[in-house]
Amino acid sequence: QLREFLPKLKECNEIVLNGNAMKKIPRTINTVKNLTTLDLKSNFLLNLPGEIGNLTFLKTLKIDGNKFEKLSSGIFKIKSL
């Protein structure tokens, strides 16, 4: 499962998960501390976990083509976006 796999990617800079019919992003996304690009395009996401706000190096967040009902306030904590 992605939830258990993400902590193993601590040093990863880019994660591309577009077009995977994902409905949820695990809270463990915040364990990928060096993440600069997160591509979640074309999934079935309704929201993002608040923990996404802890990704302080994130510069690119691609979320178009999802079914968002609302955006997490955590996104607005990321000053590098």
Side-chain angles (χ1 to χ4, degrees), residues 2 16 25 28 32-33 48-49 53-54 56 59 64-65 67 70 73 76 79-80:
L2 185 59
V16 178
I25 297 297
T28 54
V32 190
K33 299 290 185 189
L48 294 173
N54 296 327
T56 55
K59 294 180 182 174
D64 53 303
K67 301 184 180 287
K70 64 179 181 174
S73 60
F76 304 106
K79 303 212 185 304
S80 56

Side-chain angles (χ1 to χ4, degrees), residues 43-78:
N43 284 288
F44 298 109
L45 299 172
L46 298 176
N47 58 36
L48 294 173
E51 288 80 1
I52 203 162
N54 296 327
L55 299 174
T56 55
F57 295 108
L58 194 64
K59 294 180 182 174
T60 304
L61 177 62
K62 299 177 181 180
I63 57 173
D64 53 303
N66 283 285
K67 301 184 180 287
F68 289 109
E69 295 175 344
K70 64 179 181 174
L71 289 177
S72 167
S73 60
I75 289 177
F76 304 106
K77 294 179 185 176
I78 307 171

Side-chain angles (χ1 to χ4, degrees), residues 15-57:
I15 294 178
V16 178
L17 296 169
N18 61 340
N20 282 296
M22 295 173 55
K23 295 180 180 177
K24 188 175 180 182
I25 297 297
R27 292 178 176 184
T28 54
I29 190 68
N30 71 333
T31 61
V32 190
K33 299 290 185 189
N34 293 324
L35 197 60
T36 58
T37 300
L38 180 57
D39 184 345
L40 302 171
K41 293 185 304 190
S42 302
N43 284 288
F44 298 109
L45 299 172
L46 298 176
N47 58 36
L48 294 173
E51 288 80 1
I52 203 162
N54 296 327
L55 299 174
T56 55
F57 295 108

